Amino acid sequence: MPTATDPQLAAFVAAFDDFVRAAKRARARVEPDAALTTSQYDLLAPLLDADDAPLGLRELARAAGVSAPTATRMIDGLALRGTVTRERAADDRRAVRIALTADGRAAVLEHRERLLARRRALFDHLSPGDRRSAAKVLARLAAAYEEIDA
Amino acid sequence: MPTATDPQLAAFVAAFDDFVRAAKRARARVEPDAALTTSQYDLLAPLLDADDAPLGLRELARAAGVSAPTATRMIDGLALRGTVTRERAADDRRAVRIALTADGRAAVLEHRERLLARRRALFDHLSPGDRRSAAKVLARLAAAYEEIDA
DNA sequence: TATTGTTATACTCTATAACTATA
DNA sequence: TATAGTTATAGAGTATAACAATA
């Protein structure tokens, strides 16, 4: 297997690895004192974007990229702690409507603000030139991911 | 709270989010049929870099960024499945020496090759110009992470 | 005393398969 | 039959606190 002899590829791979490791360490440092875990935030964030209109369990699961049973279990815990409410829908008795409580909304907003602050701090640490290219490169990489297994 | 009115910052944040989401989806797609999970690979990779010289549990835990009990539990499972061996050290009877079996070495190498192939594919999907800036940007971002909470 | 590792305990995240209730 | 959700079951990853053995 002809492996990375291309120095440009080698540099890319090394930088990518460093980036992934740094991001992982950073996540570990941020999470412990947060009210929500990353997975919980990913599950609930759509409720914020939906202007707090209640959404179905399947909808949340799909958006977060987890299975329905996983979402059920997560919502179990979040409902117990008063982060969300879960009610049977009146019009379709199979469905449930999940909504944020006031506390839940505050927690999700706080997490979002925390994420934004971190990205802002990263941005601030870049040189003006790097700032310009960073957004472009990250967008291209995201697109490349999708193309790879499409 | 004065949030992202800077359009350049807004673009950066959006691209960063897209990238994180794409990477998460990609990981979910790659892991199911892999012999090792990401966490297991992170724990065992140093053994490959150490030329298969046995390492201590604490050493592996620290490198992987997990607690010692977590590493113990992970090694329990990996030893049961024949991925690693765990032996009390002769010179320091408190310590254990963890080493890859032949199967384990193959699994770690295979995982590394899988990661490399994915990065190579990403690299290939970039334009020549983006390739040049990608390595630089990722390296700068990794450095920025470290500076943020240093 | 300090270090290395393990046990005890407890939670979260995760999935597949099987099930219930409703449409 | 198809859809929404839950339960049953199982396993990995994670941590803190308490402990044992050795240095």
Side-chain angles (χ1 to χ4, degrees):
Chain A
M1 190 169 300
T3 314
T5 36
D6 176 358
Q8 212 177 16
L9 171 57
F12 173 79
V13 169
F16 201 101
D17 281 351
D18 286 348
F19 175 74
V20 168
R21 254 194 300 276
K24 184 185 177 182
R25 271 197 299 270
R27 180 161 38 86
R29 267 187 309 253
V30 170
E31 268 196 14
D33 50 300
L36 298 174
T37 65
T38 299
S39 296
Q40 288 169 339
Y41 173 75
D42 288 344
L43 187 69
L44 301 183
L47 292 171
L48 219 55
D49 299 325
D51 273 322
D52 300 332
L55 299 176
L57 186 117
R58 221 116 187 156
E59 224 166 334
L60 294 182
R62 199 167 348 100
V66 299
S67 68
T70 294
T72 290
R73 170 161 303 203
M74 289 176 77
I75 294 295
D76 285 348
L78 291 164
L80 257 181
R81 279 189 285 156
T83 305
V84 299
T85 57
R86 166 165 49 182
E87 283 178 4
R88 220 77 217 185
D91 50 319
D92 182 344
R93 309 269 311 149
R94 295 171 304 181
V96 294
R97 298 280 174 252
I98 294 151
L100 292 170
T101 62
D103 279 4
R105 185 183 162 73
V108 176
L109 271 174
E110 197 265 337
H111 197 103
R112 171 166 292 181
E113 205 34 63
R114 199 185 277 247
L115 279 181
L116 181 58
R118 185 155 273 269
R119 281 153 183 48
R120 201 188 288 127
L122 284 176
F123 183 78
D124 288 344
H125 272 73
L126 297 177
S127 71
D130 288 338
R131 285 179 198 166
R132 234 171 290 124
S133 45
K136 189 178 152 193
V137 163
L138 290 173
R140 296 293 167 79
L141 282 172
Y145 262 123
E146 301 308 325
E147 285 162 27
I148 279 174
D149 33 39
Chain B
M1 189 167 299
T3 316
T5 36
D6 176 359
Q8 211 178 17
L9 171 57
F12 173 78
V13 169
F16 201 101
D17 281 351
D18 286 348
F19 174 75
V20 169
R21 255 193 299 276
K24 186 186 176 181
R25 273 196 297 270
R27 180 161 39 87
R29 269 187 307 254
V30 169
E31 268 194 16
D33 49 299
L36 298 174
T37 64
T38 299
S39 296
Q40 289 168 339
Y41 172 75
D42 288 344
L43 187 69
L44 301 183
L47 292 170
L48 218 56
D49 300 325
D51 274 321
D52 300 332
L55 299 177
L57 186 115
R58 220 114 188 156
E59 223 166 335
L60 295 182
R62 200 170 343 102
V66 298
S67 68
T70 293
T72 291
R73 170 164 305 203
M74 290 176 77
I75 293 296
D76 285 347
L78 291 164
L80 257 180
R81 279 189 284 155
T83 306
V84 298
T85 57
R86 166 165 50 181
E87 283 178 4
R88 219 76 217 186
D91 49 320
D92 181 344
R93 308 271 309 150
R94 293 171 306 181
V96 295
R97 298 280 174 251
I98 293 151
L100 292 170
T101 62
D103 279 4
R105 185 183 162 73
V108 177
L109 271 175
E110 197 265 337
H111 198 103
R112 171 165 292 181
E113 204 35 63
R114 197 186 278 249
L115 279 181
L116 181 58
R118 184 154 272 269
R119 282 154 183 46
R120 201 188 289 127
L122 283 177
F123 183 78
D124 288 344
H125 272 72
L126 298 177
S127 71
D130 288 337
R131 284 179 198 165
R132 234 170 290 123
S133 46
K136 189 177 152 194
V137 163
L138 290 172
R140 296 292 168 82
L141 282 173
Y145 262 121
E146 301 309 325
E147 285 162 27
I148 280 175
D149 33 39

